[in-house]
Each structure stands twice: as structure tokens, then as C-alpha cells.
Amino acid sequence: MRTASKTRKTNETFIEVACNLDDNKNVAIETGVGFFDHMLELLARHGRFGLTVKADGDLHIDSHHTVEDVGIVLGQVLKEALGDKKQINRYGHAYVPMDETLGFVSLDISGRPFLAFDATFDNQKLGSFDTELVREFFQAFAFQSGITLHARVLYGINTHHKIEALFKATGRALSEAIRVNPDIEGVNSTKGLIE
Ligand SMILES: [Mn+2]
């Protein structure tokens, strides 16, 4: 089983993340930020991997440190669980419609972190979640996991729909990319190594 877990403590947050890429039964998210819990649960469910996240952050300030630090630790845990990346598809892509909104994500588990992010949100807050943190989360996640991540809202109106479409699309793209494919010999790169 491809599993990993990590605990990270700073003066701003205490984060515990565990994932299991080969068993999706256990998904439990508790960050203290309701909308963010909703998004992480969608990410795991559509990614078809097990994920537990516990975060105790400085929410009396705002949700910034908590959301960013969960992105950091989640990226690190995913990278560790993927191990030598042998036989994984490596690439994943997904369009996700959400009523009037259409989201798109294309990613490569490349070892070359990059974020291309193209989305704007009219609503600055959803509950206690600041919508500008969506980009911060994806940035932290892509850079710590070593994933080349392109995320875009093609069109839409409702902020909740737009963000939800991006998280679902990321989950679905990850589900494809992390999947072991018996047709692939070794690492899916002519280089023979993905770091
Ligand atoms: Mn929703």
C-alpha cells in the first residue's frame, strides 16, 4: 500500500495529514474551516484516495496559515506516498461542470513544481474561508508535491461552484495520475527517473 503521514508544528499551525493512495475508505477532515473541509473531502473522494487531515491553526487571525500549511503538508505526504512513482500514469486531466461553471485541471506528477492558475472569484469569503486562499493552497500543494498543475475556471458565476469545480477536477485528475497502470514498465518517463 502506498501510504504516508506527517505532523508539522509551527508557531502558527499544528497539522497532521495521512494518506493512503490504495485504499479510499478512510476520509476524515477537520481543519476548523468548514468550507475548506468540504473542499478537501471532495478532493479525496474524487481522487479516490484515503485522507485524514487534522489542523489546529491560528484561526483567530484568519484562515491563511491553516489553509496554506495544509497545502504544504498534503503535498509532502502525497509525494512521499508516491515513492519511486513506478508504473503510475503520471498525467491526469479533468473537466468538471458545476451548474453554470466549468472547471478544468491538467496535471503532471513530474517532479517539476509549477502552478498555472486562472480563476477569479467575486465573493471574497465563503464562511470563514477567504477565497484568495484557493490559489495559495494550490501553490503550496503543487510545490511540495512536485506536481506541474494547471487549474482554470473556463467560465462561471457562483464562487462556491467555481472553487468546488477546481477541487473536484484536481481530485479527478489526481485519481488518473496516481493510478498504477500495469502497461507501464518502470517510471513513465524516457528519462527513467522522476524525482
Ligand atoms: Mn458545495
Side-chain angles (χ1 to χ4, degrees):
M1 291 253 197
R2 295 173 297 167
T3 65
S5 62
K6 186 171 175 166
T7 300
R8 180 181 188 264
K9 188 183 179 338
T10 70
N11 290 333
E12 295 167 343
T13 63
F14 179 72
I15 313 274
E16 288 174 283
V17 177
C19 78
N20 187 335
L21 305 186
D22 298 309
D23 183 351
N24 61 13
K25 271 198 299 289
N26 192 19
V27 175
I29 316 287
E30 223 177 299
T31 68
V33 184
F35 181 77
F36 190 41
D37 288 357
H38 179 36
M39 292 304 108
L40 292 175
E41 180 161 6
L42 291 171
L43 183 76
R45 294 289 182 203
H46 286 269
R48 297 200 183 84
F49 53 85
L51 179 67
T52 60
V53 177
K54 264 200 143 183
D56 184 9
D58 52 4
L59 297 178
H60 59 284
I61 299 175
D62 64 10
S63 52
H64 193 119
H65 300 139
T66 299
V67 172
E68 187 176 13
D69 291 0
V70 167
I72 289 171
V73 183
L74 178 62
Q76 291 171 345
V77 164
L78 179 68
K79 186 181 165 82
E80 192 188 324
L82 281 166
D84 59 14
K85 305 185 179 77
K86 279 192 178 139
Q87 288 194 302
I88 61 166
N89 283 319
R90 182 181 156 184
Y91 292 96
H93 325 279
Y95 283 98
V96 169
M98 182 90 203
D99 296 349
E100 87 297 343
T101 292
L102 185 64
F104 173 71
V105 165
S106 178
L107 60 83
D108 175 13
I109 302 173
S110 60
R112 296 194 308 278
F114 191 89
L115 176 69
F117 186 86
D118 184 9
T120 54
F121 310 117
D122 288 340
N123 198 341
Q124 287 178 10
K125 259 188 177 305
L126 294 168
S128 62
F129 180 86
D130 301 296
T131 58
E132 66 177 10
L133 297 177
V134 176
R135 189 197 188 100
E136 298 301 311
F137 171 81
F138 282 119
Q139 173 88 14
F141 173 71
F143 275 68
Q144 297 297 323
S145 61
I147 287 176
T148 307
L149 176 62
H150 292 242
R152 185 175 194 196
V153 172
L154 282 85
Y155 46 80
I157 299 166
N158 182 279
T159 298
H160 187 123
H161 290 166
K162 287 180 178 177
I163 297 172
E164 187 158 334
L166 288 182
F167 274 87
K168 281 180 174 168
T170 303
R172 299 187 76 83
L174 273 177
S175 162
E176 186 185 335
I178 66 178
R179 201 64 48 212
V180 171
N181 182 341
D183 294 339
I184 298 168
E185 245 181 80
V187 169
N188 196 5
S189 164
T190 52
K191 237 193 282 179
L193 178 76
I194 305 174
E195 280 166 318

